[in-house]
């Protein structure tokens, strides 16, 4: 078996329906304050636009990257976090609502062979748009990964 081609592969985060709903809800709430206070309607528009732009930028900047033998995760509140792919022991397709670096309930749960990598016993949960392609790419780099359905 030949070694897989190395390089940089980006994966966008899958986005569920509730993410745009949060943006719309934020805009609606931003109008309520100025309307109740009798403020100028323009204040509501400015606040709503500013908050919506902030949320969209935060949601759009969640990305995943496979670079050679490392998995990178870009969260808008942090710099890139890098994890060694050779230390991944298990991958499972999951769906959950717990807090994670994911914008969808259709997720990939990644367990590492060493707990010190995450500093937690909990698995890493992310939501790449192309789950199957993402898992296949990780498996190419580290064939010893156990895939659980």
């Amino acid at each position: 078996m030949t070694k897989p081609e190395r390089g940089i592969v980006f994966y966008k985060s899958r986005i569920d329906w509730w993410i745009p709903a949060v943006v719309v809800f934020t805009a609606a709430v931003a109008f309520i304050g100025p309307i109740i206070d009798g403020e100028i309607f323009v204040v509501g528009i400015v606040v709503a636009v500013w908050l919506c732009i902030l949320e969209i930028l935060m949601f759009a900047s969640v990305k995943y990257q496979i670079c050679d033998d490392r998995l990178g995760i870009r969260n808008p509140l942090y710099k890139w976090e890098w994890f060694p792919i050779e230390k991944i022991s298990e991958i499972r397709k999951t769906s959950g609502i717990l807090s994670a670096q994911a914008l969808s309930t259709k997720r990939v749960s990644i367990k590492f062979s060493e707990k010190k990598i995450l500093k937690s016993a909990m698995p890493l949960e992310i939501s790449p748009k192309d789950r199957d392609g993402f898992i296949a790419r990780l498996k190419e780099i580290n064939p010893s990964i156990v895939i659980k359905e």
Side-chain angles (χ1 to χ4, degrees), residues 11-103:
Y11 292 88
K12 291 182 178 181
S13 181
R14 176 187 300 268
I15 298 176
D16 280 351
W17 65 268
W18 57 270
I19 295 294
V22 166
V23 175
V24 170
F25 180 74
T26 300
V29 169
F31 281 108
I32 292 173
I35 289 172
I36 291 173
D37 286 343
E39 295 284 329
I40 301 172
F41 194 66
V42 175
V43 173
I45 293 172
V46 170
V47 171
V49 168
W50 185 83
L51 288 173
C52 289
I53 288 172
L54 182 65
E55 285 181 344
I56 290 168
L57 287 174
M58 288 184 65
F59 294 146
S61 65
V62 175
K63 292 182 177 67
Y64 313 110
Q65 178 180 346
I66 296 175
C67 181
D68 296 328
D69 59 349
R70 300 177 304 152
L71 168 62
I73 298 173
R74 173 71 169 109
N75 183 320
L77 302 176
Y78 305 104
K79 295 180 181 178
W80 281 96
E81 292 182 70
W82 294 98
F83 303 96
I85 294 174
E86 70 271 0
K87 300 290 184 183
I88 296 175
S89 60
E90 179 183 310
I91 296 177
R92 178 187 309 258
K93 288 182 184 178
T94 63
S95 43
I97 57 171
L98 295 177
S99 177
Q101 297 181 15
L103 300 175

